[in-house]
Amino acid sequence: MQTLTAEILPQTIRQRPADSYKGTYGRIVLIGGNQNFGGAIIMASAAAVYAGAGLVTTLTDPSNQGSLHARLPEAMFADYHDDALLTSLVTGADVIVIGPGLGTDAPALATLKRVLALVTPQQTLVVDGSAITLVAEHRLTLPAVPLVLTPHQMEWQRISGIRIADQTEAANRQAVDRLHATVVLKSHRTEIYTATGTYENPLGTPAQATGGMGDTLAGMVGGFLAQFSDPTHAVLAAVYSHSAIAEELAQTQYVVLPHQITEQLPAFMKAHEAH
Amino acid sequence: MQTLTAEILPQTIRQRPADSYKGTYGRIVLIGGNQNFGGAIIMASAAAVYAGAGLVTTLTDPSNQGSLHARLPEAMFADYHDDALLTSLVTGADVIVIGPGLGTDAPALATLKRVLALVTPQQTLVVDGSAITLVAEHRLTLPAVPLVLTPHQMEWQRISGIRIADQTEAANRQAVDRLHATVVLKSHRTEIYTATGTYENPLGTPAQATGGMGDTLAGMVGGFLAQFSDPTHAVLAAVYSHSAIAEELAQTQYVVLPHQITEQLPAFMKAHEAH
Amino acid sequence: MQTLTAEILPQTIRQRPADSYKGTYGRIVLIGGNQNFGGAIIMASAAAVYAGAGLVTTLTDPSNQGSLHARLPEAMFADYHDDALLTSLVTGADVIVIGPGLGTDAPALATLKRVLALVTPQQTLVVDGSAITLVAEHRLTLPAVPLVLTPHQMEWQRISGIRIADQTEAANRQAVDRLHATVVLKSHRTEIYTATGTYENPLGTPAQATGGMGDTLAGMVGGFLAQFSDPTHAVLAAVYSHSAIAEELAQTQYVVLPHQITEQLPAFMKAHEAH
Amino acid sequence: MQTLTAEILPQTIRQRPADSYKGTYGRIVLIGGNQNFGGAIIMASAAAVYAGAGLVTTLTDPSNQGSLHARLPEAMFADYHDDALLTSLVTGADVIVIGPGLGTDAPALATLKRVLALVTPQQTLVVDGSAITLVAEHRLTLPAVPLVLTPHQMEWQRISGIRIADQTEAANRQAVDRLHATVVLKSHRTEIYTATGTYENPLGTPAQATGGMGDTLAGMVGGFLAQFSDPTHAVLAAVYSHSAIAEELAQTQYVVLPHQITEQLPAFMKAHEAH
């Protein structure tokens, strides 16, 4: 297992070419946020916007429209119950993030199934949170597309069948290869399993142990994938940046709020871009 | 009566263990906020989140969903009229705070009764604001669970039967022992009655004399109880922190807004954590 | 005509007594904000809260509930169509501000009439914006209670019958005495007519020439009246503070937003309180 | 083609006369923001307010009322489906901005047609975003009024018939003259075609390549037009300011959020006003 270092940042975060426009940095849709967990998809969407994704649309319950725009006018909104709109937006996206605050009820399952049926190999799909639980519980087949899963240890147990105590590198690797996915296995020392390597994130602070951290990471992963050409680098750099910013904030804060990490992203990325 | 000092802070606020996750810091539900007093439960919930509680859910009137998430995406939302959801969330919580902005009408009474019936000795119940008035007016029996009451002097008169002018330490102690509760009796010099001792908070400023201060304190008490092992210390440290931050802000402000205290919490707690 | 100076500030803004509570600083209700002008009553309410009023309730159109709490959880909300609630809140208030964003349609007129019928000489009524226009257009009789009007020059023309070009001190004084009101006549050099004197505000900047300034001033006037014992001083100090803060901000801003004045209030008042 | 320099700023941004009021700085209405793109019209409206327009009204879908006021209480709201209200507001405006987040469906088309029929030569009309696409697709006749179009290159292709690769100065000039409009042709080096000259904006950074930048520029153009006497200068200064602020922020940010540009406007304009 390789330990991530700050070198992943300039390897990933390139100086933007002068002659570029918002389309250059990708179209991303984020799907989640039912009536109870609207904050989750708002936090994920904000992370994607502040990471620099070109065009961000949030597919969520209509009850979240107002709070989304109150916090984040830069994101577009769509009602995830509107199948025609969902189909059009998912089809037109470069990156799809599904899961933050999606919930596990029947409509959530239907939405997830619809998205799994729509995605194509030209797109990247990030499956997070309750979407992982749904995949596991309903034994859904993941599509043969570029795939990133961002489970915490219990969600990983559900989808891999490996109990938390048995989640060794070797056991995880077997499951990862079976899933044909990049897996971000979140714990106090997050591990990232890609097709070709395994990485440990040396950073992370218990000040991050609060609701919404994972939603924010999922949005960052999506935002990095939307704009950086090497998907492995994008995932590794997103994970590293998330923790590095949190550690910085934790120098002076007992707890770090997820939205605070997001707000630091533009400055952090600038400080670490390649030249 | 003992006078609280800053020593209560490092006695309570411990350096977080590296290997911890959001579950380590407790599940808290906050119940309140009718159509008129939504701000109260938003302020209480924000205080719980910024204090570092692991997972925070706000049970409130559905008209408050949007403003809750616009201010605080880190909190989850539930409609407090949905009995199945309320039952599930209250049952799964470590700490329940009821009262901020709850009101005193019939639905509020019904919600309060339901919660009083659901809580178990493994949980801690914080009863604040209009919930105290309801208990007093309807002579509700408080459950035999770890209990914290946070009345101001008039609410204390209602529930203890002791008129404000007669609220001496001795009289209060008798009522406290009868209630089997920790009581935070709010005034310009707040007193805290625990099972084993009585404490006076030497801090506090008239700049705090504004609506929402009590709601914020209730949320902080809940947030400290959710994550710190000694409940007496948790309550004492929350009261002390609330006033200490207010005094700091009042150096340069004629009035201190409740949400400003909340925003200072992460830095204040970091500055006073034990090592 | 006397020119106001900074001396009005310490004459008005007294160090708060240690043994005070939110009731000490007054109950204020602000009435306005129809479906089109919700921002006006939000800005007025925020000014009252940040000025230090003890308990602030906003009576407005229900469509403004969410945005009010998203910006200002410290204020309580009530639907101004709910007559029982309006009656109870107005009856229980020390200060009533009516007008910001109220509009001039039939429901607005009905609300205004209801409030004019409810107020008593123990209360102070601030009439602002469209409420002034309504009084003038419908020749409503102003009640015999402590009364503050905050017209701009065109509104003053409507209610006094004096055309803008003819609004001399002498002419204004006659109308003021007939109205038995304190009048804040807003222009680039605002004049204040009280029962016993006439004052000119020497401050004010064209950077303030933007929508919402008057709403913010009305809320400040209400907030000062709610907590300071001398009503003339309260009005004078509110007017002076509003412009003084604006001038400070205008040192570095081409335009000053009303909400920015509000956010500076607590620090400004602290810097100028008496000792 | 002339290259813009910072000299355009003091040529445009004049010290405000002391004896001015909000009416001096113009009435502007911004029309757009359907249920999916509410953020766009919120960002445009905020830019107009922070640029210093005197009175700003946002005509949008009613689902955006709450988020508009949560972010921007200084703007007034109107439901763009309410024809009587739209007619009255458009008729009374000095500047009308139509397009940000308007969408291209049938109701959007109907709204646009209505506005095109209402405007008069005493007003200035800014046509942005999807309104440009609608004009092109439905071959709408633009009214003979002072007109500003703010297309990006693809929108310009649609309305001018010139393919992106063929958008030379000479070709553009012909189309501009045919349209009798000032055209802000947005790209990484924005060009401005006025009746009498052609200008290139030398500023701009790829950190701006994110959703909402154009909406913010449209609002700034409207806000400058509302208050500055020379319309050509107003457009040129708005374009230059937008990029200059972005470049400043991009010194320390990898991506610049549109709302951050808006928040810098009052200070930027002050720093560059004429004396």
Side-chain angles (χ1 to χ4, degrees):
Chain A
M1 198 174 306
Q2 280 181 258
T3 299
L4 284 179
T5 70
E7 285 175 35
I8 191 63
L9 302 175
Q11 282 168 15
T12 308
I13 306 170
R14 318 308 303 238
Q15 198 171 5
R16 291 183 159 196
D19 187 2
S20 60
Y21 69 109
K22 60 191 175 188
T24 312
Y25 302 110
R27 285 179 180 272
I28 176 169
V29 298
L30 301 105
I31 306 168
N34 63 15
Q35 286 191 34
N36 297 117
F37 308 134
I41 200 69
I42 292 172
M43 289 186 281
S45 301
V49 167
Y50 282 73
L55 284 160
V56 176
T57 301
T58 305
L59 279 146
T60 184
D61 190 84
S63 64
N64 300 316
Q65 181 187 343
S67 48
L68 174 71
H69 282 149
R71 287 195 77 85
L72 191 70
E74 285 87 358
M76 291 168 283
F77 159 81
D79 179 352
Y80 63 9
H81 299 305
D82 180 336
D83 186 62
L85 195 49
L86 179 141
T87 300
S88 153
L89 285 164
V90 168
T91 303
D94 300 304
V95 175
I96 298 112
V97 177
I98 187 162
L102 182 66
T104 54
D105 60 8
L109 178 60
T111 299
L112 176 58
K113 283 182 172 173
R114 189 82 186 101
V115 170
L116 296 180
L118 285 169
V119 290
T120 66
Q122 284 71 47
Q123 302 177 302
T124 301
L125 178 66
V126 180
V127 184
D128 179 63
S130 37
I132 296 174
T133 299
L134 284 170
V135 168
E137 281 181 358
H138 298 275
R139 302 177 179 273
L140 305 180
T141 303
L142 289 168
V145 306
L147 200 61
V148 179
L149 308 183
T150 54
H152 56 54
Q153 292 169 299
M154 176 54 66
E155 289 163 345
W156 182 235
Q157 174 177 316
R158 288 181 196 133
I159 200 166
S160 71
I162 309 168
R163 284 179 307 182
I164 293 179
D166 302 333
Q167 291 175 359
T168 61
E169 184 182 352
N172 292 339
R173 167 56 58 192
Q174 282 199 313
V176 165
D177 289 348
R178 209 168 56 232
L179 289 162
H180 297 289
T182 293
V183 173
V184 176
L185 177 50
K186 296 180 289 192
S187 72
H188 95 276
R189 285 290 170 263
T190 291
E191 295 170 0
I192 304 102
Y193 294 81
T194 75
T196 56
T198 308
Y199 304 85
E200 188 186 56
N201 177 20
L203 307 182
T205 154
Q208 288 173 272
T210 191
M213 271 298 153
D215 306 311
T216 296
L217 178 58
M220 284 178 61
V221 166
F224 277 48
L225 283 165
Q227 67 187 301
F228 299 126
S229 53
D230 182 317
T232 297
H233 280 182
V235 173
L236 296 176
V239 170
Y240 190 90
S241 298
H242 184 260
S243 298
I245 294 171
E247 287 208 352
E248 235 169 81
L249 292 171
Q251 299 295 319
T252 54
Q253 296 184 200
Y254 189 71
V255 61
V256 172
L257 279 295
H259 78 265
Q260 297 174 322
I261 294 181
T262 292
E263 287 168 5
Q264 295 301 315
L265 261 174
F268 180 86
M269 291 173 75
K270 181 67 179 179
H272 293 282
E273 74 173 346
H275 290 286
Chain B
M1 196 173 310
Q2 280 181 259
T3 299
L4 284 180
T5 70
E7 284 175 36
I8 190 63
L9 301 174
Q11 282 167 16
T12 308
I13 305 170
R14 319 308 304 237
Q15 198 171 7
R16 291 182 159 197
D19 187 1
S20 60
Y21 68 109
K22 59 190 174 187
T24 311
Y25 303 109
R27 284 179 181 273
I28 176 169
V29 297
L30 301 105
I31 306 168
N34 63 14
Q35 286 190 33
N36 296 116
F37 308 134
I41 200 69
I42 292 172
M43 288 187 281
S45 301
V49 166
Y50 282 74
L55 282 160
V56 175
T57 301
T58 304
L59 280 146
T60 184
D61 189 84
S63 63
N64 300 316
Q65 181 187 344
S67 48
L68 174 70
H69 282 148
R71 287 195 76 84
L72 191 72
E74 286 85 359
M76 292 168 282
F77 159 81
D79 179 352
Y80 64 8
H81 299 304
D82 179 336
D83 186 64
L85 194 50
L86 179 140
T87 300
S88 153
L89 284 164
V90 168
T91 303
D94 300 304
V95 175
I96 298 112
V97 177
I98 188 162
L102 182 66
T104 54
D105 60 8
L109 177 61
T111 299
L112 176 58
K113 283 183 174 173
R114 188 84 185 99
V115 169
L116 296 180
L118 284 169
V119 289
T120 66
Q122 285 71 46
Q123 302 176 304
T124 302
L125 178 66
V126 181
V127 184
D128 180 63
S130 39
I132 295 174
T133 299
L134 283 171
V135 167
E137 282 180 358
H138 298 274
R139 303 178 178 273
L140 305 181
T141 303
L142 289 168
V145 307
L147 200 62
V148 180
L149 307 183
T150 54
H152 55 56
Q153 292 169 300
M154 177 53 66
E155 289 164 345
W156 181 234
Q157 173 177 316
R158 289 181 195 134
I159 201 167
S160 71
I162 309 168
R163 284 180 306 181
I164 292 178
D166 301 333
Q167 292 176 0
T168 61
E169 184 181 352
N172 291 339
R173 167 54 60 193
Q174 282 198 314
V176 166
D177 289 348
R178 208 166 58 232
L179 288 162
H180 297 290
T182 293
V183 173
V184 177
L185 176 51
K186 296 179 290 192
S187 73
H188 96 276
R189 285 289 171 260
T190 292
E191 295 171 0
I192 304 102
Y193 295 81
T194 74
T196 57
T198 308
Y199 304 85
E200 189 188 53
N201 177 20
L203 306 182
T205 153
Q208 288 174 274
T210 192
M213 271 298 153
D215 307 311
T216 296
L217 177 59
M220 282 179 61
V221 167
F224 277 48
L225 282 165
Q227 67 187 302
F228 300 125
S229 52
D230 183 317
T232 296
H233 279 182
V235 173
L236 296 176
V239 170
Y240 190 89
S241 298
H242 184 259
S243 299
I245 294 172
E247 287 208 351
E248 235 169 81
L249 292 171
Q251 298 296 317
T252 55
Q253 297 185 199
Y254 189 72
V255 62
V256 172
L257 278 295
H259 78 265
Q260 297 174 322
I261 294 181
T262 292
E263 287 169 4
Q264 294 301 315
L265 262 174
F268 181 86
M269 292 174 74
K270 182 68 182 179
H272 293 282
E273 75 173 345
H275 289 287
Chain C
M1 197 174 311
Q2 279 181 259
T3 299
L4 284 179
T5 70
E7 283 174 37
I8 191 62
L9 302 174
Q11 282 168 14
T12 309
I13 306 170
R14 320 306 304 237
Q15 198 171 8
R16 292 183 159 197
D19 187 1
S20 60
Y21 68 109
K22 59 190 175 189
T24 312
Y25 303 109
R27 286 179 178 273
I28 175 170
V29 298
L30 300 105
I31 306 169
N34 64 15
Q35 285 191 35
N36 296 116
F37 307 134
I41 200 68
I42 292 173
M43 287 186 282
S45 301
V49 167
Y50 281 75
L55 283 160
V56 176
T57 301
T58 305
L59 278 146
T60 184
D61 189 84
S63 63
N64 299 316
Q65 182 187 344
S67 48
L68 174 70
H69 282 148
R71 287 195 77 85
L72 192 71
E74 285 85 0
M76 292 169 282
F77 159 81
D79 179 352
Y80 63 9
H81 300 304
D82 179 336
D83 186 64
L85 195 50
L86 179 141
T87 300
S88 152
L89 285 164
V90 168
T91 303
D94 301 304
V95 175
I96 297 111
V97 177
I98 188 162
L102 182 66
T104 53
D105 60 8
L109 177 61
T111 299
L112 176 58
K113 284 183 172 173
R114 189 83 186 100
V115 170
L116 295 181
L118 284 169
V119 289
T120 66
Q122 285 71 47
Q123 302 176 302
T124 301
L125 178 66
V126 181
V127 184
D128 179 62
S130 38
I132 296 174
T133 300
L134 283 170
V135 167
E137 282 181 359
H138 299 273
R139 303 178 178 272
L140 304 181
T141 303
L142 289 168
V145 305
L147 199 61
V148 180
L149 308 183
T150 54
H152 55 55
Q153 292 169 299
M154 177 54 66
E155 289 163 347
W156 182 235
Q157 173 177 318
R158 288 181 196 133
I159 200 166
S160 70
I162 309 167
R163 283 179 307 181
I164 292 179
D166 302 332
Q167 292 175 1
T168 62
E169 183 181 352
N172 292 338
R173 166 56 57 194
Q174 282 197 314
V176 165
D177 289 348
R178 207 167 58 231
L179 288 162
H180 297 289
T182 293
V183 173
V184 177
L185 177 51
K186 296 179 290 192
S187 73
H188 96 276
R189 284 291 171 259
T190 291
E191 295 170 359
I192 305 102
Y193 295 81
T194 75
T196 57
T198 308
Y199 305 85
E200 188 187 56
N201 178 20
L203 306 182
T205 153
Q208 288 174 273
T210 192
M213 271 299 152
D215 307 310
T216 297
L217 177 59
M220 282 179 62
V221 167
F224 277 49
L225 283 165
Q227 66 186 305
F228 299 125
S229 52
D230 183 317
T232 296
H233 279 183
V235 173
L236 297 176
V239 170
Y240 191 89
S241 298
H242 184 259
S243 298
I245 294 172
E247 287 208 352
E248 233 169 83
L249 292 171
Q251 297 296 319
T252 55
Q253 297 184 199
Y254 188 72
V255 62
V256 171
L257 279 295
H259 78 266
Q260 297 173 324
I261 294 181
T262 293
E263 287 169 5
Q264 294 301 314
L265 262 174
F268 180 86
M269 292 173 74
K270 181 69 181 177
H272 294 283
E273 73 174 345
H275 288 287
Chain D
M1 198 174 309
Q2 279 181 258
T3 298
L4 285 179
T5 70
E7 284 175 35
I8 190 63
L9 302 174
Q11 283 168 14
T12 309
I13 307 171
R14 319 307 305 237
Q15 198 171 5
R16 291 183 159 196
D19 187 2
S20 60
Y21 68 109
K22 59 190 175 188
T24 312
Y25 302 110
R27 286 180 178 272
I28 176 169
V29 298
L30 300 104
I31 307 169
N34 64 14
Q35 286 190 32
N36 296 117
F37 308 134
I41 201 68
I42 293 173
M43 287 186 282
S45 302
V49 167
Y50 282 74
L55 283 161
V56 177
T57 301
T58 305
L59 280 146
T60 184
D61 189 85
S63 63
N64 299 317
Q65 182 187 342
S67 47
L68 174 71
H69 282 149
R71 287 195 78 84
L72 191 70
E74 286 85 359
M76 293 168 282
F77 159 80
D79 179 352
Y80 64 9
H81 300 305
D82 180 335
D83 186 63
L85 195 49
L86 179 141
T87 299
S88 152
L89 286 163
V90 168
T91 303
D94 300 304
V95 175
I96 299 112
V97 177
I98 187 161
L102 182 66
T104 54
D105 60 8
L109 178 61
T111 299
L112 176 59
K113 283 183 174 173
R114 188 85 185 98
V115 170
L116 295 181
L118 285 169
V119 289
T120 67
Q122 285 71 47
Q123 302 176 304
T124 301
L125 178 66
V126 181
V127 184
D128 179 62
S130 38
I132 296 175
T133 300
L134 283 171
V135 168
E137 283 181 357
H138 298 273
R139 303 179 177 271
L140 305 181
T141 304
L142 289 168
V145 306
L147 200 61
V148 180
L149 308 183
T150 54
H152 54 57
Q153 292 169 299
M154 176 54 66
E155 289 162 346
W156 182 235
Q157 172 177 318
R158 288 181 195 134
I159 200 166
S160 70
I162 309 168
R163 283 179 307 180
I164 294 179
D166 302 332
Q167 292 175 359
T168 62
E169 184 182 351
N172 292 338
R173 166 56 58 193
Q174 283 198 314
V176 165
D177 290 347
R178 208 168 57 233
L179 288 162
H180 297 290
T182 293
V183 173
V184 177
L185 177 51
K186 297 179 288 191
S187 73
H188 96 277
R189 284 290 171 261
T190 291
E191 295 170 1
I192 304 101
Y193 295 81
T194 75
T196 56
T198 308
Y199 305 85
E200 189 187 55
N201 178 19
L203 306 182
T205 153
Q208 289 173 272
T210 192
M213 271 300 152
D215 307 310
T216 296
L217 178 58
M220 283 178 62
V221 167
F224 277 48
L225 282 165
Q227 67 187 302
F228 300 125
S229 52
D230 182 316
T232 296
H233 280 182
V235 173
L236 296 176
V239 170
Y240 191 89
S241 298
H242 183 260
S243 298
I245 295 172
E247 286 208 353
E248 232 170 84
L249 291 171
Q251 297 296 319
T252 55
Q253 297 185 201
Y254 189 71
V255 62
V256 171
L257 279 294
H259 77 266
Q260 298 174 322
I261 293 180
T262 292
E263 288 169 5
Q264 294 301 314
L265 261 174
F268 180 86
M269 290 173 75
K270 181 68 181 179
H272 294 283
E273 74 174 345
H275 288 288

